Amino acid sequence: MPKNKLIPIIEALFAVIVWGASFIATKVALQDVSPITVVWLRFAMGVIILGIAVTARKQFALPKKNEWLYFASLGFLGIAFHQWLQSTALTTSRASTTAWIVAVTPVFMALLGWLVLKEKLGRLQTGGIVLATCGVLLVVSDGDPTAISFKQFGAPGDILVLISSVNWAVFSALSRRGLKTHPATRMMFYVMTFGWLFSTILFFFGPGTGEIQQLTFDGWLGVAFLGVFCSGLAYIAWYDALQALPTAQLGAFLYLEPPVAVVIAAIILSETITWAALLGGAIILFGVWLVNRK
């Protein structure tokens, strides 16, 4: 394999493995502090890492006047609100279950395109949406979908994870405009900065800096991994790979994220790998593949 192709593939694998492990790192940090503290510390580190990258690549430029509100909106949706949803969800949801539910985000993106942009959904795509939905029900019900009612959708956090998937689909659709005029690293730097500022308000009106003292060594490891690797280096690696690999090829790497999370959760958190999670996860991935299939 040519070296110029191998490096982007390694970067994509690095990003996916790191993001798969992010659910477990969040779960570890949440044993010491509240969700908003994890979010605030994580993105404080992420902003620094991305800021260094933007400066080193000589991509720094202030947004135009009509872009400040746009970036602020993306920061609230994609960083502050999104990460609060997922971190809060992980206080009750299993890390592996959360990863499988997040995997259906492309399904919500397709539904959003159908509802808002009037994009057509073929039979295979419709079938993929149905399959992915069945897979989610199988995973969150631990193999007994008939036991789920409207008031009891698996663990309480599972609903928040589903909301975060819809939210990320909206965020992704809105991000297309900015990516047409800004390098991805610079755009993510501004989005993450605004998101961190929003989380700062919640942090200081909530637990405040006093809660940081509760972090144990393991908690700091979890937060540092989330900040430096998940919110910093992984984003840089992913967008570098995006510039070198076709979008469809790069997107296929995301199918590895849930299995990575399941394996790491079993090793670090001792979460049981059940037949329902494996079968439901396989159904989810197959359904998502059908939705994305041309």
Side-chain angles (χ1 to χ4, degrees):
M1 182 180 295
K3 186 178 179 180
N4 61 337
K5 288 292 184 182
L6 180 61
I7 293 177
I9 289 175
I10 292 174
E11 287 183 308
L13 281 172
F14 167 78
V16 168
I17 291 172
V18 165
W19 286 335
S22 68
F23 302 101
I24 291 82
T26 303
K27 195 87 172 174
V28 170
L30 287 172
Q31 294 176 2
D32 296 339
V33 293
S34 61
I36 190 59
T37 299
V38 174
V39 172
W40 187 77
L41 287 172
R42 166 182 180 172
F43 287 105
M45 297 177 190
V47 166
I48 294 172
I49 298 294
L50 286 179
I52 293 172
V54 169
T55 304
R57 296 179 177 191
K58 298 180 180 179
Q59 294 179 341
F60 184 81
L62 289 174
K64 298 176 182 178
K65 290 182 179 180
N66 62 344
E67 291 180 324
W68 288 95
L69 181 59
Y70 170 67
F71 283 135
S73 301
L74 290 180
F76 174 77
L77 283 176
I79 302 299
F81 183 55
H82 182 75
Q83 292 299 329
W84 176 84
L85 282 171
Q86 289 200 352
S87 296
T88 304
L90 279 164
T91 59
T92 55
S93 291
R94 288 157 48 102
S96 52
T97 301
T98 300
W100 285 124
I101 297 175
V102 169
V104 303
T105 300
V107 170
F108 290 117
M109 293 177 70
L111 287 172
L112 187 66
W114 174 62
L115 290 170
V116 178
L117 304 178
K118 307 302 179 184
E119 295 176 352
K120 294 183 179 180
L121 286 177
R123 293 181 179 178
L124 283 179
Q125 288 178 305
T126 303
I129 291 171
V130 174
L131 276 177
T133 302
C134 292
V136 169
L137 291 175
L138 190 62
V139 169
V140 301
S141 67
D142 199 21
D144 187 14
T146 59
I148 295 180
S149 65
F150 181 77
K151 295 181 180 179
Q152 184 62 35
F153 184 80
D158 294 345
I159 294 178
L160 294 181
V161 180
L162 267 182
I163 295 173
S164 77
S165 295
V166 177
N167 179 69
W168 190 259
V170 174
F171 168 77
S172 299
L174 294 176
S175 297
R176 292 178 182 177
R177 171 188 144 193
L179 289 171
K180 292 178 181 179
T181 54
H182 291 275
T185 307
R186 181 205 294 163
M187 178 176 168
M188 200 63 219
F189 168 69
Y190 284 122
V191 170
M192 191 174 292
T193 299
F194 275 112
W196 177 73
L197 290 174
F198 281 120
S199 69
T200 298
I201 298 172
L202 296 174
F203 175 69
F204 281 102
F205 276 94
T209 56
E211 192 176 68
I212 296 177
Q213 301 173 6
Q214 300 176 19
L215 279 168
T216 61
F217 178 75
D218 288 345
W220 272 115
L221 280 181
V223 169
F225 180 81
L226 290 168
V228 176
F229 288 90
C230 301
S231 298
L233 299 179
Y235 274 111
I236 296 170
W238 182 260
Y239 286 122
D240 281 348
L242 184 61
Q243 294 177 336
L245 299 175
T247 303
Q249 182 180 351
L250 185 64
F253 283 92
L254 291 173
Y255 291 105
L256 297 175
E257 189 176 323
V260 167
V262 169
V263 172
I264 297 177
I267 295 172
I268 296 180
L269 302 178
S270 299
E271 290 189 359
T272 306
I273 301 178
T274 64
W275 70 266
L278 293 177
L279 178 59
I283 294 172
I284 288 171
L285 294 184
F286 182 60
V288 171
W289 178 78
L290 287 177
V291 170
N292 289 330
R293 186 173 181 268
K294 298 296 183 183

